């Protein structure tokens, strides 16, 4: 009888205990792990794209060019993303319709985004580059200019500041 009383007391004691920490299921752990892993893969891919484009610095401008013998602006973007099996349209105007349109929201700009311009007083987008660095006040991008070939430029330069049209995110 005394033994039965102790067992009953132990049962009541253990059943009244409650854990104060939240239970995280294995499924939730896997989901968080997959998200982090996916972000790391995307960031690695973005770094590889920017590195690949940067290897072309100094390559001359060539109208409709898509090779190391010469690039036009959209040809550089098209060829660089193609190296990583990411299909983009061939022209800057069509590339601007791809991905997530961030508008002129420079605070949203991230490495790997595309940056578009309307140059020479044109009403439609006719120039594109790949963002390589972004902060609140400046976006640096790699592109192929008609005068200097593949170079890095900045939205702090008045020409690009005045002709900036849009940002687009290709890789989420």
């Amino acid at each position: 009888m005394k033994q039965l009383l102790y067992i009953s007391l132990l049962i009541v004691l253990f059943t009244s205990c409650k854990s104060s920490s939240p239970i995280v299921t294995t499924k939730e752990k896997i989901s968080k792990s997959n998200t982090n892993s996916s972000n790391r893969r995307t960031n690695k891919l973005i770094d590889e794209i920017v590195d690949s484009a940067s290897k072309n610095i100094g390559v001359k401008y060539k109208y409709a060019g898509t090779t190391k013998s010469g690039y036009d602006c959209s040809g550089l973007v098209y060829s660089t993303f193609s190296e990583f099996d990411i299909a983009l349209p061939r022209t800057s105007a069509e590339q601007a319709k791809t991905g997530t349109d961030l508008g002129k929201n420079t605070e949203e700009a991230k490495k790997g985004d595309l940056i578009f311009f309307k140059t020479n007083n044109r009403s439609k987008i006719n120039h594109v580059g790949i963002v390589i660095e972004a902060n609140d006040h400046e976006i640096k991008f790699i592109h192929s200019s008609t005068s200097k070939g593949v170079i890095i430029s900045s939205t702090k330069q008045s020409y690009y500041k005045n002709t900036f049209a849009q940002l687009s995110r290709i890789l989420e």
Side-chain angles (χ1 to χ4, degrees):
M1 182 78 166
K2 198 174 181 183
Q3 192 176 15
L4 188 58
L5 183 61
Y6 283 129
I7 292 174
S8 297
L9 186 60
L10 282 172
I11 291 172
V12 169
L13 181 66
F14 284 117
T15 58
S16 66
C17 293
K18 180 181 175 189
S19 172
S20 62
S21 62
I23 297 173
V24 178
T25 65
T26 303
K27 188 175 183 180
E28 289 170 331
K29 287 179 184 176
I30 290 171
S31 176
K32 285 180 182 178
S33 174
N34 286 344
T35 300
N36 290 338
S37 177
S38 177
N39 287 343
R40 281 192 300 273
R41 279 193 306 271
T42 300
N43 289 338
K44 184 175 187 259
L45 178 58
I46 289 168
D47 288 341
E48 290 172 352
I49 288 169
V50 169
D51 288 344
S52 177
S54 297
K55 289 177 183 172
N56 295 300
I57 291 175
V59 172
K60 68 179 182 176
Y61 177 88
K62 181 179 179 184
Y63 178 76
T66 59
T67 67
K68 289 195 180 286
S69 66
Y71 292 102
D72 66 7
C73 64
S74 59
L76 175 66
V77 171
Y78 172 84
S79 298
T80 301
F81 278 81
S82 291
E83 287 179 42
F84 300 92
D85 296 321
I86 301 169
L88 292 178
R90 177 58 187 86
T91 67
S92 55
E94 289 299 314
Q95 289 172 357
K97 298 175 186 173
T98 306
T100 304
D101 183 348
L102 303 175
K104 290 188 169 191
N105 192 354
T106 58
E107 292 84 29
E108 292 291 317
K110 288 187 350 184
K111 185 177 184 180
D113 289 346
L114 299 184
I115 186 166
F116 297 94
F117 302 89
K118 295 177 181 176
T119 64
N120 302 326
N121 295 319
R122 300 230 176 119
S123 59
K124 74 175 200 168
I125 288 172
N126 66 335
H127 192 68
V128 61
I130 302 170
V131 174
I132 62 168
E133 184 182 326
N135 62 47
D136 293 338
H137 306 292
E138 179 181 28
I139 298 171
K140 291 183 181 177
F141 57 97
I142 188 166
H143 64 117
S144 184
S145 76
T146 55
S147 60
K148 297 180 182 174
V150 180
I151 58 172
I152 294 172
S153 296
S154 165
T155 54
K156 286 215 174 211
Q157 295 169 259
S158 61
Y159 180 76
Y160 294 110
K161 183 179 184 178
N162 295 332
T163 60
F164 171 62
Q166 171 189 326
L167 289 160
S168 290
R169 178 146 310 137
I170 302 301
L171 300 170
E172 297 287 338

